[in-house]
Amino acid sequence: MRVVIAEDNALLREGLVLLLTSAGHEVVAVVGSGPEIMPALLEHHPDAAVLDVRMPPGFRDEGLRAALEAREKIPGLPVLVLSQYVEESYATELLSGGTSGIGYLLKDRVGRVDEFLDALERVAAGGTALDPEVVTELLTRRRDSPLDTLTPREREVLKLMAEGHDNATIAKTLVVTERAVHKHIGNIFLKLGLPPSDSGHRRVLAVLAYLAHAPHA
């Protein structure tokens, strides 16, 4: 996998390079400021981009802006965004442009090597990878919504779906059968008023889209 990294923290930047190259991936460009991101992406057209949300010179949302611009100029570009904290508005804005090939992780997750690499590979394959803490924010931000009608187990299933896990993984995590997971997912879609679709990925994307576009209370 060919990857572009945008991270201003030198220690984390070098750590990402080492982590990815050790896993057999090729880091084709490394940049440390917002204005450098788009030129690197347009030059290399990587298989995935790993971008810090806050970059110089403003340390506000330069990485997020670059991610959104990159998705417009390079349609389908898989982007994994890293953030120091859960910033719900950033996650929502990122998801509003489409949920295929999108990831939003807290930087602490990078230290969990297997989780980080799994998330990046899911994103590069066109999947989704949302940090569990980000998903929790999205699921709890509304009141008097269809989400309130979900049972605790259905909310657990929805949370794992939104993180990008497939039915088999959800079943293993919750120690239930895949048939039970399938039934829970059917109930979730019924309660959320979402049309049934193909098993697996499309349903995950539909749930993410629903959460991303759901209005604040």
Side-chain angles (χ1 to χ4, degrees), residues 3 15 25 69 102 105 150 155 162 173-174 181 197-198 201 208:
V3 184
H25 303 303
E69 183 182 356
I102 285 290
L105 296 182
L150 301 182
R155 292 177 73 86
T173 302
L174 299 180
V181 170
S197 63
D198 294 348
H201 216 45
L208 288 173

Side-chain angles (χ1 to χ4, degrees), residues 122-143:
R122 280 208 309 272
V123 168
T128 54
L130 291 188
D131 195 282
E133 290 189 38
V134 174
V135 174
T136 298
E137 289 286 335
L138 292 172
L139 285 173
T140 60
R141 73 183 193 201
R142 300 178 66 205
R143 297 294 181 269

Side-chain angles (χ1 to χ4, degrees), residues 137-214:
E137 289 286 335
L138 292 172
L139 285 173
T140 60
R141 73 183 193 201
R142 300 178 66 205
R143 297 294 181 269
D144 300 322
S145 80
L147 293 175
D148 296 329
T149 67
L150 301 182
T151 66
R153 177 63 86 187
E154 287 165 356
R155 292 177 73 86
E156 287 180 321
V157 171
L158 178 58
K159 182 174 182 292
L160 290 167
M161 287 173 66
E163 289 170 22
H165 300 298
D166 59 22
N167 287 11
T169 303
I170 294 172
K172 183 177 179 181
T173 302
L174 299 180
V175 196
V176 298
T177 65
E178 286 191 51
R179 183 176 179 181
V181 170
H182 182 76
K183 183 178 179 180
H184 286 311
I185 291 172
N187 289 336
I188 290 167
F189 274 79
L190 182 64
K191 291 179 178 181
L192 296 185
L194 294 169
S197 63
D198 294 348
S199 61
H201 216 45
R202 289 186 182 179
R203 293 186 300 179
V204 174
L205 298 182
V207 170
L208 288 173
Y210 178 88
L211 295 175
H213 291 89

Side-chain angles (χ1 to χ4, degrees), residues 10-189:
L11 185 61
L12 180 55
R13 186 169 63 235
E14 293 307 310
L16 284 168
V17 172
L18 179 61
L19 175 60
L20 291 175
T21 53
S22 297
H25 303 303
E26 180 186 0
V27 178
V28 294
V30 181
V31 301
S33 69
E36 297 177 277
I37 297 174
M38 278 310 303
L41 293 176
L42 291 172
E43 177 183 351
H44 295 284
H45 279 253
D47 299 313
V50 179
L51 311 178
D52 184 12
V53 166
R54 299 188 179 192
M55 299 280 290
F59 291 99
R60 288 195 289 267
D61 60 358
E62 289 81 0
L64 177 71
R65 295 288 135 223
L68 295 173
E69 183 182 356
R71 299 272 290 181
E72 288 183 5
K73 294 186 175 180
I74 310 174
L77 173 69
V79 174
L80 178 59
V81 172
L82 301 178
S83 180
Q84 189 70 42
Y85 310 103
V86 176
E87 304 194 57
E88 179 193 321
S89 61
Y90 290 169
T92 301
E93 189 165 1
L94 186 65
L95 288 169
S96 68
T99 52
S100 177
I102 285 290
Y104 186 104
L105 296 182
L106 296 182
K107 289 187 176 180
D108 288 348
R109 203 68 54 185
V110 176
R112 303 173 187 180
V113 175
D114 291 341
E115 288 185 34
F116 172 74
L117 290 174
D118 179 63
L120 179 60
E121 288 167 7
R122 280 208 309 272
V123 168
T128 54
L130 291 188
D131 195 282
E133 290 189 38
V134 174
V135 174
T136 298
E137 289 286 335
L138 292 172
L139 285 173
T140 60
R141 73 183 193 201
R142 300 178 66 205
R143 297 294 181 269
D144 300 322
S145 80
L147 293 175
D148 296 329
T149 67
L150 301 182
T151 66
R153 177 63 86 187
E154 287 165 356
R155 292 177 73 86
E156 287 180 321
V157 171
L158 178 58
K159 182 174 182 292
L160 290 167
M161 287 173 66
E163 289 170 22
H165 300 298
D166 59 22
N167 287 11
T169 303
I170 294 172
K172 183 177 179 181
T173 302
L174 299 180
V175 196
V176 298
T177 65
E178 286 191 51
R179 183 176 179 181
V181 170
H182 182 76
K183 183 178 179 180
H184 286 311
I185 291 172
N187 289 336
I188 290 167
F189 274 79

